[in-house]
Structures are given as C-alpha cells and as structure tokens.
Amino acid sequence: MIADTELILNADGSIYHLNLRPGDLADTIIFVGDQERVPLVSKYFDTIEVKKGKREFITHTGMLRGKRISVISTGIGTDNINIVLNEIDALINVDFETKTLKKEMRSVDIIRIGTSGPIQGNLPVGTVLASEFAIGFDTLMQFYVKSYAKEEIELAAAVTKHFSNLSFHPYIGTASPRLMAQFSGGLSKGITMTAPGFYGPQGRSVRSHNMYPDLIQKANSFRTKKKQCITNLEMETAGIYALANMLGHHALSINAILASRLHEEFCPNPSEVIDAAIRHVLERI
Ligand code: R1P
C-alpha cells in the first residue's frame, strides 16, 4: 500500500495538485504552459465534461470527433512537469480506493503545445517545430534512476563535452516515434534545449553576473555526430520526454517559435501561430 504522505489526496478523493479524480482525465492529454491557453484548446472540443483546477494546473476534459481529450496547463518549468507527470501517472495507474498499483500499467499520450525561441538564425519566428530530442539543462532527472538509450547517452556526452565547464549533467529525452509520425507532418523538426529558468539559465542578464554568459552561443555552435544542431529553447520538453519515457507514457512537444533573441525580433502574430499549432494537433488526433 502506498502511504498517504507519498500519494496525497484531497478530501474529495482528488489528487493533491491537479485536483483531479481518476475518471476526470482522458488517455490523450494536451499540455500547455499558460492556463489561459486551456480554453483556447478546449473551445474546439465538441463537448466539455470536466473543468477543474488548482494553482496553475487547470484541466478541461471533453470530446472531439468521438475521442476523449484532456488539456492541462502545467505552468512553467520542469519542476512543475515533475508534479504533473507523476500525478497523471498516479491517476492512471494507482487504485485510489486501495492505494495500490493496478495490475496492468496503462499509458497515455501527451502532446505539449508550447512556445519557444530559436537557437539558430535560420529558424524564423512563426515556425511550428516538433522536438525530436530534448536536452535537459536542469537537474530533474538526477533524482531518478532511469535507463537511457545508446543514442541518448551519446548525445548527452557530446553536449557535456561541448559545454565544457558545466557543473551539472545535462540529460536527453526522446519524442515518442508513434506521436512524431502522427503529428509532425508538415512541421519543422529539431533538437530542443530545456532550461530550468528564464534569465540566467537561458544566458539572459538584466543585472545579474551569469556563470554561463555564453550559453546561447555555445548552444548555437553545438553539432551532433550527424551534424544536427540545437534548434530551439524552452523550459519543459526534456522533463516531459524523460519522465514520460521512464513511466512508460508517450510524449511529443510542439513548439511555436515566437521570439528570436538572435535577431531581436518578436513574432507579429503570436496568437495566430499558437492557434495554428493547436489546430494542427487537434486535426491529427
Ligand atoms: C516562459 O515564458 C514559458 O514559455 C514557454 C517556456 O517553455 C516557459 O514555460 O512555454 P509556454 O508558453 O508553453 O509556457
């Protein structure tokens, strides 16, 4: 039996942060960062049966063309992703009555529709990009025992070598090949860098002295063995991929490229690009 302090439930039997009961969640789940993006997705559902939430974690569950879908806002960062992935897995795979694992583990499909910035000058704002791999520059996965594929281990080693003076160990997450095949048609594809903060961890300095001031230049010049580059930067994808793979779920991250620090340029129509990314995903579900 799982202790009450390990798997915390609210008085109504819902899980602690997401505030959801097991039946509230569909097997196809869209992640958005901003809670205000949740209705921008669910407005396309034919019906909405669940609208629940707590803090930044807002969930709408409904039906689209006969398929049950949930959309959840995760807030910002892999620390939040840690909460969301673990609580989703518990909702799917733990019997909340007996607080024991179910006999058969089930998996869900997770598709992040997020925003991002380019690392390469030839990736224009307005692009929608599917992440094939993500490089986690956070320490989340150092708290878990997980086996990594050979390709992931080699990529992590190449990244560590290239960013020679890091005091932490970047990790790699890989997209679900099935979801990549289902959703990435017509999109750019790339390798996404996931940062654990918006300012210093992305090499931004307003008034700070940064430990890695050349982080973006280093990211820009990195190449894999196959000469692939790091395409874009955001704050969740590596954590989503690594935790989903560890727990046996399937994940894909779709990035709307909205602002370029390389060209000091903002996308003139960000809402339209995000809406296009949302419709691209929903049309393929
Ligand atoms: C930072 O402003 C946030 O925007 C990006 C980053 O990943 C981070 O969460 O994505 P979302 O717009 O999906 O939240």
Side-chain angles (χ1 to χ4, degrees), residues 32-34 37 75-77 112-116 198 202 233-236:
V32 293
D34 185 353
R37 209 175 297 147
I76 292 178
R112 168 183 181 266
I113 305 174
T115 67
S116 183
F198 192 75
Q202 295 187 20
L233 176 66
E234 50 73 85
M235 296 178 62
E236 291 84 22

Side-chain angles (χ1 to χ4, degrees), residues 34 51 90 95 117 126 147 154 169 192 205 208 215 231 239 251 256 272 277:
D34 185 353
K51 280 189 177 183
D95 182 330
S147 58
E154 287 174 0
H169 304 288
T192 297
S205 171
S208 58
L215 199 73
T231 46
E272 286 168 33

Side-chain angles (χ1 to χ4, degrees), residues 197-253:
F198 192 75
Y199 291 95
Q202 295 187 20
R204 280 191 180 88
S205 171
V206 179
R207 229 164 59 76
S208 58
H209 296 291
N210 292 350
M211 186 68 81
Y212 307 109
D214 61 347
L215 199 73
I216 297 303
Q217 292 89 323
K218 277 280 187 193
N220 178 273
S221 61
F222 175 77
R223 294 291 178 274
T224 68
K225 260 191 333 199
K226 296 179 197 161
K227 306 284 174 231
Q228 295 161 291
C229 57
I230 297 175
T231 46
N232 64 303
L233 176 66
E234 50 73 85
M235 296 178 62
E236 291 84 22
T237 300
I240 294 171
Y241 282 1
L243 285 181
N245 290 338
M246 183 183 84
L247 294 168
H249 302 293
H250 307 276
L252 178 68
S253 176

